Amino acid sequence: EAEVEAEIARAEEAIEGATGKRPHGFRGPGFSISPAVLRVLLRRGYRYDCSTFPTFLGPLARAYYFMTATLPPEERERRKKLFGGWREGLRPLDPYRWQLPEGELLEIPVTTLPVLRVPIHLSYVLYLNVFSQGLARAYFAAALATCRLLGTAPSLLLHPLDFLSGEDVDALSFFPGMNLPVERKLSCVRDCLDMFSRRFEVRCMEEHAAAVTGATARGRLGLVRAG
């Protein structure tokens, strides 16, 4: 836990040094979260976490990552819990509160397709775009329509690689969708973000967290015991 806190503290300093603003929210790399991390976040005054990924496909994503990335055995051991297990698919899609002995912390999951629990963020849409531009856009449009129909406010995850190609960063060309020309990727991202902004009120995560923890919303939030 002390190592976790030291690493998060170094990240805070780097982020504040680059942006002039201290972070109040956290997303674990590879959607990794644990009671120890949650305790550290509470102690350091974080307002929310965004590390959970409610999908049954975590083990497949981890297997693909290990198959395509060149990692020494000790790094594979350290990262064996990335993307979570199949039980992650049973987690709530809507925001809830983690309950720990030290207090409570808001959790805002990365949204997956309601009911089916398959990923809908742009990295996966761009992977579909490798095979069909029309299919990728139709899939994202259908996902947004399903969220609206079932009352799920989507939390949309963006990765830096959504805006780059293997031409830009050859060392990361093994990631899905990195073989697309950058202009084709940016065209798809532009269309998806346009769809998103026309169907939903777009807020940054800090504003969204403040909204769901408001006096009225707080009473509707579920409580999940960490551990």
Side-chain angles (χ1 to χ4, degrees):
E1 188 167 324
E3 291 179 7
V4 170
E5 183 149 17
E7 187 172 343
I8 290 176
R10 290 196 303 272
E12 288 172 7
E13 292 173 5
I15 291 168
E16 189 171 16
T19 67
K21 188 172 183 180
R22 191 175 184 84
H24 302 297
F26 180 81
R27 174 170 284 132
F31 310 105
S32 54
I33 196 68
S34 69
V37 171
L38 294 173
R39 287 193 295 269
V40 169
L41 297 180
L42 276 173
R43 280 200 302 270
R44 301 190 69 82
Y46 279 71
R47 298 172 189 165
Y48 58 95
D49 175 72
C50 307
S51 301
T52 56
F53 188 34
T55 182
F56 300 105
L57 301 183
L60 292 178
R62 182 170 57 250
Y64 178 87
Y65 174 64
F66 282 166
M67 182 177 65
T68 54
T70 304
L71 295 172
E74 60 271 17
E75 279 301 310
R76 286 176 176 264
E77 178 64 22
R78 288 184 61 190
R79 304 183 192 196
K80 65 182 181 181
K81 293 186 178 180
L82 291 184
F83 306 106
W86 68 269
R87 290 180 181 273
E88 296 298 315
L90 302 176
R91 291 192 184 277
L93 281 181
D94 295 321
Y96 55 92
R97 289 173 288 155
W98 287 114
Q99 184 181 45
L100 296 103
E102 297 84 356
E104 296 176 2
L105 183 69
L106 175 67
E107 178 67 33
I108 303 177
V110 176
T111 304
T112 55
L113 185 66
V115 183
L116 296 180
R117 301 300 183 98
V118 291
I120 65 172
H121 55 272
L122 293 189
S123 296
Y124 288 82
V125 176
L126 289 167
Y127 179 68
L128 286 178
N129 200 30
V130 172
F131 305 99
S132 168
Q133 298 182 57
L135 175 62
R137 288 162 172 78
Y139 174 73
F140 189 70
L144 294 182
T146 304
C147 287
R148 281 190 67 90
L149 179 66
L150 298 181
T152 298
S155 172
L156 187 63
L157 168 63
L158 298 173
H159 281 119
L161 297 187
D162 297 337
F163 304 89
L164 300 169
S165 76
E167 302 165 4
D168 301 303
V169 190
D170 183 65
L172 298 178
S173 59
F174 65 90
F175 277 98
M178 289 295 281
N179 58 333
L180 284 171
V182 68
E183 284 304 321
R184 182 169 164 184
K185 288 187 79 169
L186 293 178
S187 174
C188 183
V189 169
R190 191 178 300 114
D191 289 348
C192 289
L193 293 181
D194 181 60
M195 281 189 268
F196 186 49
S197 64
R198 283 190 278 109
R199 288 166 172 79
F200 295 92
E201 178 186 350
V202 179
R203 298 171 173 168
C204 68
M205 291 302 301
E206 190 166 1
E207 292 173 349
H208 184 50
V212 298
T213 52
T216 304
R218 185 174 174 83
R220 297 197 301 267
L221 292 178
L223 203 59
V224 175
R225 188 181 301 275

